[in-house]
Amino acid sequence: MEPSEVQAALETEGPTQESAPDQPAAVEWSDADLKAIVEAVIYLTDEPLSADQIALGLKQPAANVGGVLDDLVAEYGKSEHGVTVREVAGGYKMSTKPEHHEASAHSSGI
């Protein structure tokens, strides 16, 4: 999903926003909502997205998105999760943890 696709989807589904005609205003979400939205974006994308791409698509300061990504990397790094959020190819991607690949392959017939 390209940043423009993220932005277009959010413009039709996101909270109401007011902006000058030539400059889009930042969309205001709670910290929890922003974290959930960033998580959904990196889950849905086929290609890794950089923090800057996500920030642009969500109309958020890059520092806010970077902090959310750091939180998600830490959260999904915990042993109770079977998936991880990691930085790869200059962007962020959600994937299964390597230690669970074999078990996932065995369960593919389910």
Side-chain angles (χ1 to χ4, degrees), residues 3 6 10 26-42 48-74 85-87 90-93:
V6 172
L10 292 171
V27 178
E28 292 188 29
W29 283 296
S30 69
D31 292 344
D33 285 344
L34 180 59
K35 185 175 181 180
I37 291 165
V38 170
E39 181 180 24
V41 166
I42 59 176
L49 292 176
S50 71
D52 288 339
Q53 288 173 310
I54 296 168
L56 178 65
L58 298 178
K59 299 180 183 178
Q60 294 296 304
N64 290 5
V65 171
V68 166
L69 288 166
D70 290 344
D71 291 347
L72 289 170
V73 167
V85 173
R86 60 189 178 104
E87 191 170 4
Y92 289 84
K93 185 79 179 140

Side-chain angles (χ1 to χ4, degrees), residues 2-22:
E2 293 297 314
S4 59
E5 293 172 312
V6 172
Q7 188 171 355
L10 292 171
E11 285 175 353
T12 59
E13 298 176 13
T16 304
Q17 51 186 311
E18 294 181 19
S19 62
D22 61 336

